[in-house]
């Protein structure tokens, strides 16, 4: 709770400070992204690299940002993706569990550039950045009916939970207003049953998922 209050206070202070920035340095940014997703939870505890490759699925989405200063932006995004895991890839073929879950995430985001970036900073044609986001995750698992779930609670259909994102990436200018970039995104969810099931009388850790994104956006600068 203290950590959440500190994040909220930091956001408020950054917005207040950014209000004094020159109007010409502010700009809107709209774009889209695509990339990979991988689930991290009870079914992937073996941590096998080849299994990670085999279970990679896709994600895509759109976003809108308001760049208040050359180093700071607030925004929102919505995305769709799929998560997959299979016991057969982790030495547990006899158990037969398989995860196949579709996800929709919506988040409010905050970006911080390591270098000044924008229309008037031609020397900085690229910059690393960090991004954090917090929002909601809607997930819909598909459950295999032929598997024995006697000792498990099932959660079929659509469910929702919280989603906290932490990302690190790099972006480059492309022309006067284009921006291309890539990032590694890691998501911490508020649920242990992205798979659609959880073992009874056990308190597991909440599930996570991660992926690599490629994105492209356009900046709309004010004069």
């Amino acid at each position: 709770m203290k950590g959440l209050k500190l994040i909220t206070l930091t956001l408020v202070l950054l917005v207040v400070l950014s209000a004094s920035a020159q109007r010409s340095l502010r700009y809107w940014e709209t774009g889209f992204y695509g990339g990979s997703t991988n689930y991290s939870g009870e079914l992937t505890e073996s941590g096998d690299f080849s299994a990670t490759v085999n279970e990679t699925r896709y994600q895509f989405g759109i976003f809108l940002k308001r760049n208040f200063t050359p180093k700071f932006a607030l925004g929102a995004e919505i995305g769709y993706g799929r998560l997959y895991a299979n016991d057969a890839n982790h030495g547990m073929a006899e158990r037969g569990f398989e995860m196949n879950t579709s996800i929709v995430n919506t988040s409010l985001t905050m970006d911080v550039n390591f270098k000044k970036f924008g229309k008037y900073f031609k020397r900085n044609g690229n910059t690393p950045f960090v991004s954090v986001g917090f929002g909601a995750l809607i997930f819909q698992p598909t459950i295999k009916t032929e598997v024995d779930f006697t000792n498990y609670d099932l959660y079929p259909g659509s469910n929702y939970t919280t989603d906290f994102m932490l990302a690190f990436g790099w972006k480059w200018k492309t022309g006067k207003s284009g921006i291309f970039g890539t990032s590694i995104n890691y998501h911490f969810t508020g649920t242990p049953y992205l798979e659609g099931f959880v073992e009874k009388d056990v308190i597991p850790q909440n599930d996570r998922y991660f992926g690599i994104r490629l994105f492209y956006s356009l900046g709309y600068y004010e004069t």
Side-chain angles (χ1 to χ4, degrees), residues 170-211:
W170 211 290
K171 56 187 175 182
W172 297 263
K173 295 178 184 177
T174 59
K176 292 183 178 181
S177 59
I179 301 170
F180 170 78
T182 183
S183 64
I184 299 174
N185 298 61
Y186 204 93
H187 295 255
F188 303 84
T189 77
T191 181
Y193 52 87
L194 285 183
E195 312 89 342
F197 51 86
V198 64
E199 190 173 1
K200 295 179 180 179
D201 302 322
V202 173
I203 303 177
Q205 293 185 346
N206 288 340
D207 294 324
R208 291 85 60 202
Y209 65 98
F210 59 93

Side-chain angles (χ1 to χ4, degrees), residues 1-11 110 132 134 164:
M1 184 64 68
K2 291 183 179 180
L4 181 59
K5 289 182 179 179
L6 180 60
I7 293 174
T8 302
L9 179 60
T10 302
L11 286 172
M110 180 182 72
V132 295
F134 184 79
F164 176 77

Side-chain angles (χ1 to χ4, degrees), residues 114-154:
F114 283 45
K115 298 188 294 184
K116 291 182 177 180
F117 191 81
K119 180 179 180 180
Y120 298 103
F121 302 95
K122 297 181 179 180
R123 291 185 178 180
N124 296 339
N126 64 87
T127 181
F129 69 91
V130 293
S131 180
V132 295
F134 184 79
L137 179 72
I138 301 172
F139 62 100
Q140 185 171 13
T142 299
I143 299 175
K144 293 176 63 176
T145 57
E146 62 270 24
V147 177
D148 182 11
F149 286 110
T150 302
N151 296 319
Y152 289 80
D153 292 321
L154 303 183

Side-chain angles (χ1 to χ4, degrees), residues 43-181:
L43 301 187
T44 61
E45 292 179 348
S46 67
D48 186 84
F49 178 75
S50 62
T52 300
V53 173
N54 290 334
E55 294 174 354
T56 297
R57 293 300 184 264
Y58 61 86
Q59 62 168 316
F60 58 86
I62 57 175
F63 59 85
L64 171 68
K65 297 178 183 179
R66 176 62 167 169
N67 291 268
F68 291 95
T69 76
K71 286 191 173 184
F72 171 72
L74 293 176
E77 66 177 44
I78 181 170
Y80 174 83
R82 298 196 68 86
L83 301 173
Y84 180 79
N86 193 320
D87 273 348
N89 295 326
H90 300 273
M92 297 286 288
E94 67 283 355
R95 189 173 64 173
F97 286 172
E98 183 179 20
M99 171 194 186
N100 197 343
T101 300
S102 59
I103 57 173
V104 175
N105 70 291
T106 60
S107 296
L108 299 177
T109 61
M110 180 182 72
D111 293 359
V112 177
N113 299 326
F114 283 45
K115 298 188 294 184
K116 291 182 177 180
F117 191 81
K119 180 179 180 180
Y120 298 103
F121 302 95
K122 297 181 179 180
R123 291 185 178 180
N124 296 339
N126 64 87
T127 181
F129 69 91
V130 293
S131 180
V132 295
F134 184 79
L137 179 72
I138 301 172
F139 62 100
Q140 185 171 13
T142 299
I143 299 175
K144 293 176 63 176
T145 57
E146 62 270 24
V147 177
D148 182 11
F149 286 110
T150 302
N151 296 319
Y152 289 80
D153 292 321
L154 303 183
Y155 297 89
S158 296
N159 303 274
Y160 65 91
T161 185
T162 56
D163 187 307
F164 176 77
M165 178 192 73
L166 178 63
F168 175 78
W170 211 290
K171 56 187 175 182
W172 297 263
K173 295 178 184 177
T174 59
K176 292 183 178 181
S177 59
I179 301 170
F180 170 78

